[in-house]
Each structure stands twice: as structure tokens, then as C-alpha cells.
Amino acid sequence: MVSKRPGDAVARFSEFGLRLVAALPLLPIVLVVALAMWVLVPGFATMINLENMARVLAPLLVAAIGATFVMITGGIDLSVGATFGLASVVGATVMRDTGSVGLGLVAGIAVGAAVGAANGFAVARLRLSPFVYTLAILLTVRATAFLLSRGYSVGRLPSEATAFGRSQIFGVPSLLWIALVILGIGLVALHKTPFGRSVYLVGSNERAATFNAINVQITKWLVYFIGGTLAGVASMLAVLRLGSGAPVLGDAILLQIIAAVVVGGTSVFGGEGGLWRTFTGVVLVVMLEKGLDLMGVAFYDQAIVIGAVILFGSAFGVYLRRRRNVGLR
């Protein structure tokens, strides 16, 4: 019998660590930031703050999952924040006027799905520039949300809405459970189905995708539809948490979504990325936001930090791609 040497276990552990970092390049940074916040920011590691972060993380994660699908195909959706705001206004208004939380949820999600379907048709079928078109839709949808709400937040929702938004299952906020279920479905769709393989291939090389009998137009339409629908779902999670909807509710989330997806390791050029990477990016963004809040940092100063995170994430992604390209030569 050959005994296993301690060095073999260390080597296997080191190899596992290297593979984990290769798959989730942001993970070491997330751990370092978490440790720094725990040590330096009073109240950061309290149960109340952790529960609050989990409830804030849920809608951001759901919206970022949809954005990841879009960006892997090489596209971008700048209207996701405006869609978030409009869906919150429509959903909250229906809840308030009908007294039905279910009808409000359906209405809000339907708004997101409708915007996503329109975006997908314009980008995939009409071949409009994703950046230019979704920027125009951002302005249009945001204006529509202000017209419907007259610029005010929509409150006085049924008590069941906020009760669920603040509830827990096995000590974990219910909203986070919903987000994790959607993450699991997204992981299966992206990595275990022909559709997921089509998404990556379209982002890598549209011509090669066509030669492999992939319908590029349908794939692009679907990812924008998914992105819009999940923006509507995310908006409803935020409404349940806050007990109100508002046209400005999504103003800050666009920057946070882009930061989380890009810093997580999804390429803005398409063909590369993943939902676990996006998850680590979302965790980092939420930790920074809440940590800076506890430190008393102003909102606009927080925006500077998030902007720096996006810049770092983009530069880091380019660096990793160049390293891989050099290794392949």
C-alpha cells in the first residue's frame, strides 16, 4: 500500500485554488474587501446589516443575471434601469388600486417583458445599434414612468406586499431565496442547454454561429427578452422590499448592474462570462455600497467608487484575455 504524502494533498489543494480563481477571478478581491469591511467598518458584520444587504442584493442579482445573458452575446441594454423604474410604478399602481399583490406583480413583470421584447426585435431583426437604441428607450421609458406617476412615488400598497418583502425562510430573507432560485435556473439554461451554447457562440462569432445552424436573430431576441423580463422581476422584488414604486427607483441600478457584470468577468465584447462571476460582482458592489453607507460616504462619492470599480474590472478583464491569448501561442 502506498501512503499518501502531505505534499500531495497540498498540491491538490493548490491546484483547486488556482482553478477556482481562474473560474472566479474576482473571488479573492471579494474576500479581501469583506475582511476589510468587517474589521474597519463598525456594524458591518451585524445580523441586521447582513439581512439588509441580502434584501438589497436580491433585485440587483436578478437584474444582473439578465444583463449577463445580453452581454455574453456582445450586446448591451442601457434601458434596464428605466425599465426597472417603469415596472415599479406600474406594479405598485396596480397593487394600490386593485388591492391585489398578485396582479401588481404580473403587471410589473409584463412591463419588463414588453420592453425586453421590443429591444430584442429592434436589435435582432431591425439590426439597430444596441447602444444607441437602448439609450433612446432609456429616455422614453423613463419619461413614461414620470408621466404615469407625475414624478411621485407610488405607495399605500397592501400590507401583504411589505410583509412578504420583510419575511424570512429558514432565517434567510425570502427575496434572496427567489433570487437564488432564478440564479440556479439561469445557470442551467446557460451551461446545460443548447440555448446557452448558442448564447456563447453568438457572442464569440456570429458567422460561426450561423454556420453551426444557430438562429442568431432568435438568440439575440431571447436574451433581450430575458433581460427585460428579469428587470421587471427585480423591480417587483424592490417594490416588495420598499413598499412603494417610483420612476427614479432604477436610476442608480444601471451603474450597479454594469459594474457587477463587468467586474465579475463578463466581457463587454461578448463570448465570455458567466453567472457565478456576476454573482461575485454583485456581492462586491453591495458590500461596497453598504460599507460606504455605514462610513457616512455621500451618494455621489459612492458613484465615484463604483465608476472606479467598473474601470478596474474592464482593465482586469482585458489583462486576463491577453494573458490567455499569449498562453495559446
Side-chain angles (χ1 to χ4, degrees):
M1 177 180 292
V2 180
S3 61
K4 295 183 178 180
R5 294 176 299 176
D8 295 336
V10 173
R12 287 194 298 271
F13 182 78
S14 300
E15 183 180 357
F16 171 77
L18 291 174
R19 289 181 178 178
L20 184 62
V21 172
L24 300 173
L26 193 64
L27 184 60
I29 299 174
V30 169
L31 296 176
V32 169
V33 171
L35 180 61
M37 291 289 182
W38 180 40
V39 173
L40 301 176
V41 181
F44 179 81
T46 62
M47 187 58 64
I48 293 177
N49 186 58
L50 293 177
E51 290 178 2
N52 188 29
M53 284 198 299
R55 292 189 176 96
V56 171
L57 183 145
L60 178 58
L61 175 60
V62 171
I65 289 170
T68 303
F69 276 89
V70 173
M71 292 184 69
I72 290 176
T73 62
I76 191 168
D77 184 2
L78 298 179
S79 68
V80 62
T83 303
F84 191 98
L86 177 60
S88 77
V89 168
V90 172
T93 300
V94 173
M95 287 184 199
R96 182 195 64 191
D97 293 347
T98 66
S100 171
V101 176
L103 283 177
L105 294 176
V106 171
I109 296 171
V111 167
V115 175
N119 289 347
F121 179 79
V123 172
R125 182 66 176 173
L126 303 181
R127 300 183 184 277
L128 299 181
S129 165
F131 184 91
V132 175
Y133 175 79
T134 58
L135 178 61
I137 293 300
L138 180 158
L139 300 174
T140 304
V141 170
R142 192 169 187 272
T144 303
F146 271 92
L147 288 172
L148 291 177
S149 65
R150 298 181 181 179
Y152 296 101
S153 59
V154 181
R156 293 181 297 172
L157 306 186
S159 58
E160 295 86 351
T162 51
F164 180 81
R166 297 166 185 170
S167 65
Q168 297 182 351
I169 300 176
F170 301 119
V172 177
S174 302
L175 300 182
L176 182 60
W177 280 115
I178 295 173
L180 293 177
V181 168
I182 293 173
L183 174 63
I185 295 172
L187 286 167
V188 172
L190 194 58
H191 298 290
K192 301 296 182 180
T193 66
F195 168 69
R197 291 188 287 274
S198 300
V199 169
Y200 279 103
L201 190 53
V202 168
S204 298
N205 191 321
E206 286 190 22
R207 180 172 295 182
T210 302
F211 287 143
N212 281 274
I214 292 173
N215 192 319
V216 175
Q217 289 188 3
I218 292 296
T219 302
K220 285 188 174 183
W221 183 85
L222 280 172
V223 296
Y224 279 95
F225 177 73
I226 291 170
T229 302
L230 290 183
V233 174
S235 176
M236 292 301 94
L237 296 183
V239 167
L240 294 176
R241 180 177 71 89
L242 299 171
S244 64
V248 298
L249 197 59
D251 284 2
I253 200 170
L254 174 61
L255 181 64
Q256 295 173 335
I257 289 170
I258 293 175
V261 176
V262 172
V263 173
T266 296
S267 171
V268 294
F269 303 107
E272 182 179 356
L275 296 183
W276 278 123
R277 293 185 177 191
T278 294
F279 178 76
T280 59
V282 170
V283 171
L284 178 63
V285 168
V286 172
M287 284 196 304
L288 286 173
E289 179 189 355
K290 288 303 171 185
L292 294 173
D293 273 342
L294 291 173
M295 294 170 64
V297 178
F299 168 77
Y300 293 106
D301 293 330
Q302 292 182 30
I304 294 174
V305 174
I306 299 298
V309 168
I310 294 176
L311 181 61
F312 167 78
S314 300
F316 188 58
V318 170
Y319 169 75
L320 289 178
R321 282 192 298 276
R322 288 178 177 174
R323 285 286 301 272
R324 280 193 293 270
N325 291 338
V326 170
L328 292 174
R329 294 175 182 174

